[in-house]
């Protein structure tokens, strides 16, 4: 399926932005930068907006979700917005009884870690979700409308990155009925009942893939699949029990191509997880264009693992955000230097912005990154 | 310092046990097996004993700690006991205000993640601990007295393994004042104030090293240092900010040697952490004889990473414990086959026994391991 003519990429608004170019593996005037969880608790304007609204309600309110997505773009001058949402949003829209409990995370009415639970989930037709995504589509449209007139220095509109959780990470929550230490319930199900596990992963891939596809269709210029908990898997289990579903989820984005001057292009896809040093190559193989790297593996080492020609995103240790300025600046420059080992580099943290971060520190990093690369 | 003549290793009671021989890199008649957290909630006799006693009180009651340590040895016929304790026990004995909250973990009265906190801790003289360890020493003596007459098939007494947390893992709890997701507070301190960090690590190494040394002196035939959270570190941060303290902690065990037929030997030391695939070589370098491997990295791959001549311990995925018997048996045999890549192999899980585990499954694994290796 082709993206509509008014899509920012197709209309040429973001196709030449630093972010999209770096995601395509091109060198840009300065390295683009954004921060995972840049829209969130580190910003006073976010805390003010969220004060009377529960997390999932905020995600499902198009005006609020758009405003929260835009806040860090305006404040920090980052090179991209990341759509404000939560990985369980498509589950909620599918009718699954889940809420996000502050300080705890997503909590489900029941755990779905057995065949009966999986049967209950898979009885829900994922294709009905496309209509349920209306508040998401609306929020993306509102966000993109403002980003289209926001030039953060690229000489182009600011692109929006779509956001979704990978099937394994969603399944880890579903199998445990909430957050778990080691995602033991999910790993137990995959070994104890591989059939039920495959059904759960198929369904989750449909749900989260459609969620990501809907964001791209509505105007996102790139997409990031978060497999936060994949690092709990051995390479063998990742490849056998996880990769097929991630590939399937990403197919919903892959089919949304566009043509420029007769050349078919696809929307760039970033794939990220924490503790995934051993999995970087396998995560690329599921159909990702760009690999996000956490703070554990230096970018030059990661470049060797993902193979030639793969742009990287990352990977300043968030623990550096409270260090003295000279220490932090040196660390930022080290990340930039190592990032030159990849054909394209998008600066980011190795994980999400910690809630207590001083937002001025993030703004400063944007300046340092943009000035360093220009030098 | 030499171990006393009545120590089980010196007296020849455990020197030829399967466990100690495998830890020395020798092939044994069958692969020895024990389970991390074998003493604990998976056993009904443990739950019964603990019903009216808080965790730290149980650790500090010599009769209770000895009995809990012995329960799984009697029930499963494993090749070793692991001393029942908690990594924060030496902190409590040093006067630090900490309790273990069920379902949560160790919670401190305050966080020690800044220079003032570190100063408060380091004002405590670690050498005064040697006297405070009396209940630990007494518990080890009681345990060893029974293990000395318990032959689980080796034709020798059953050895006891001493237990302690590594400095980084303790510092991760101390810096956050309790459990934390990513150990961000510890990593922040090491970058923001390397001097305070080094002081904290020095003090923690003294405290936990003396704790481990006291167990060996009282009769443990081996020692395991748990660096549960080291997997949150990059190799560079591990080597710069963590390894020196781990080395220092282990020196308290290294100095406790013994002589047999004029040859000086040292007590074998196992070093283990989760998510440490990238760190296996560096963890060996701090003075470990044996490397424990979690479920993420197959033992034959791990053998290549730690270097030639290093025995391995591990690494069945605990998620397999609830799988059908045929699946689990195949996984056990796969671990055994891969373990032949190391000069010595001690079978274990890749992490602690999950609380809900059916103890019959553990007993079965002991049988499968002992029979397979004998075949």
């Amino acid at each position: 399926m082709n993206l509509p003519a008014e899509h920012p990429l197709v209309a040429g608004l973001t196709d030449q932005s630093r972010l999209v170019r770096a995601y395509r593996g091109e060198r840009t005037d300065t390295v683009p930068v954004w921060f995972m969880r840049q829209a969130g608790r580190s910003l006073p304007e976010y805390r003010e907006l969220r004060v009377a609204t529960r997390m999932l309600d905020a995600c499902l309110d198009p005006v609020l979700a758009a405003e929260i997505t835009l806040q860090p773009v305006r404040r920090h001058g980052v090179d991209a917005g990341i759509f404000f949402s939560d990985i369980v949003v498509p589950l909620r829209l599918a009718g699954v009884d889940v809420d996000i409990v502050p300080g705890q995370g997503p909590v489900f009415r029941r755990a779905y870690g057995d065949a009966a639970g999986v049967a209950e989930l898979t009885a829900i037709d994922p294709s009905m979700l496309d209509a349920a995504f209306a508040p998401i589509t609306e929020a993306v449209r509102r966000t993109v409308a403002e980003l289209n007139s926001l030039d953060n220095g690229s000489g182009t509109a600011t692109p929006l990155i779509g956001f979704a959780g990978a099937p394994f990470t969603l399944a880890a929550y579903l199998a445990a009925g909430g957050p778990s230490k080691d995602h033991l319930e999910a790993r137990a199900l995959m070994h104890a009942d591989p059939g039920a596990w495959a059904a759960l992963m198929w369904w989750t891939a449909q749900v989260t893939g459609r969620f990501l596809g809907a964001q791209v269709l509505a105007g996102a210029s790139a997409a990031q699949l978060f497999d936060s908990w994949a690092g709990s898997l051995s390479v063998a289990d990742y490849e056998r029990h996880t990769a097929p579903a991630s590939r399937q989820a990403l197919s919903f984005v892959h089919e949304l191509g566009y043509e420029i001057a007769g050349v078919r292009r696809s929307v760039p896809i970033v794939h990220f997880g924490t503790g995934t040093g051993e999995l970087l190559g396998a995560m690329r193989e599921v159909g990702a264009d760009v690999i996000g790297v956490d703070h554990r593996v230096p970018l030059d080492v990661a470049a060797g693992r993902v193979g030639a020609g793969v742009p990287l995103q990352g990977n300043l240790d968030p623990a550096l955000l409270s260090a003295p300025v000279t220490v932090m600046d040196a660390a930022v420059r080290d990340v930039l230097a190592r990032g030159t080992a990849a054909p394209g580099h998008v600066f980011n943290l190795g994980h999400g912005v910690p809630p207590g971060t001083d937002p001025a520190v993030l703004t400063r990093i944007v300046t340092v990154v943009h000035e360093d690369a220009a030098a």
Side-chain angles (χ1 to χ4, degrees), chain A:
Chain A
M1 186 159 56
N2 268 352
L3 290 174
E6 67 275 15
H7 189 282
L9 270 178
V10 186
L13 295 172
T14 58
D15 186 71
Q16 293 300 314
S17 64
R18 282 180 194 138
L19 183 91
V20 171
R21 289 187 58 214
Y23 278 166
R24 278 200 302 253
E26 299 171 22
R27 288 266 155 229
T28 46
D29 61 333
T30 80
V31 168
V33 48
W34 66 278
F35 304 106
M36 290 186 281
R37 217 169 287 170
Q38 62 188 14
R41 276 185 289 165
S42 66
L43 301 187
E45 59 267 36
Y46 169 86
R47 295 195 297 269
E48 199 180 310
L49 263 189
R50 272 288 315 282
V51 79
T53 315
R54 293 185 70 84
M55 176 66 184
L56 284 180
D57 293 337
C59 293
L60 295 172
D61 178 329
V63 177
L64 218 47
E67 175 60 19
I68 292 172
T69 303
L70 290 161
Q71 285 174 343
V73 185
R74 295 190 202 114
R75 178 192 269 259
H76 301 308
V78 284
D79 291 282
I82 174 89
F83 184 57
F84 175 76
S85 195
D86 189 274
I87 61 167
V88 301
V89 162
L91 298 174
R92 164 73 82 94
L93 290 172
V96 175
D97 189 347
V98 57
D99 198 10
I100 295 177
V101 180
Q104 198 178 345
V107 175
F108 294 81
R109 182 184 52 82
R110 60 162 290 177
Y112 298 90
D114 57 16
V118 173
E120 186 180 316
L121 281 177
T122 52
I124 305 171
D125 176 8
S127 70
M128 71 83 180
L129 269 171
D130 296 343
F133 285 146
I136 303 306
T137 305
E138 166 71 7
V140 169
R141 285 213 188 93
R142 283 175 172 269
T143 309
V144 170
E146 179 162 340
L147 288 177
N148 278 347
S149 59
L150 235 173
D151 172 5
N152 278 342
S154 268
T156 72
T158 300
L160 177 70
I161 305 166
F163 166 99
F168 176 74
T169 293
L170 280 168
Y173 284 115
L174 286 164
S180 63
K181 230 181 179 173
D182 252 353
H183 322 302
L184 193 76
E185 295 81 356
R187 292 189 290 118
L189 181 62
M190 83 175 51
H191 294 296
D193 192 340
W197 174 255
L200 174 61
M201 289 294 274
W202 171 85
W203 184 82
T204 312
Q206 292 282 322
V207 166
T208 204
R210 285 169 192 272
F211 178 58
L212 196 55
Q215 295 170 51
V216 171
L217 206 50
S221 295
Q224 180 158 327
L225 192 71
F226 287 77
D227 209 350
S228 311
W229 306 141
S232 68
L233 296 168
S234 66
V235 177
D237 282 344
Y238 179 83
E239 288 181 337
R240 188 178 315 156
H241 295 295
T242 300
S246 294
R247 189 172 292 121
Q248 192 190 5
L250 291 181
S251 71
F252 287 91
V253 176
H254 276 299
E255 70 168 22
L256 300 172
Y258 64 108
E259 276 180 27
I260 287 195
V263 179
R264 184 171 170 87
R265 285 183 163 162
S266 58
V267 178
I269 295 172
V270 190
H271 198 184
F272 170 79
T274 60
T276 48
E278 315 258 358
L279 303 177
L280 295 175
M283 287 174 70
R284 148 97 167 122
E285 291 301 317
V286 304
D289 303 294
V290 180
I291 292 295
V293 182
D294 87 350
H295 71 273
R296 290 171 178 84
V297 181
L299 290 182
D300 48 337
V301 175
R305 292 187 190 176
V306 295
V310 180
L312 296 178
Q313 180 173 281
N315 71 344
L316 184 75
D317 188 344
L320 264 309
L321 297 176
S322 53
V325 158
T326 50
V327 174
M328 201 191 64
D329 285 2
V332 168
R333 294 205 174 91
D334 183 60
V335 169
L336 288 168
R338 293 176 188 274
T340 60
H345 175 213
V346 174
F347 191 95
N348 209 312
L349 303 179
H351 202 175
V353 174
T357 303
D358 173 2
V361 171
L362 299 177
T363 307
R364 185 188 162 79
I365 292 177
V366 173
T367 309
V368 173
V369 171
H370 283 166
E371 285 177 355
D372 179 279

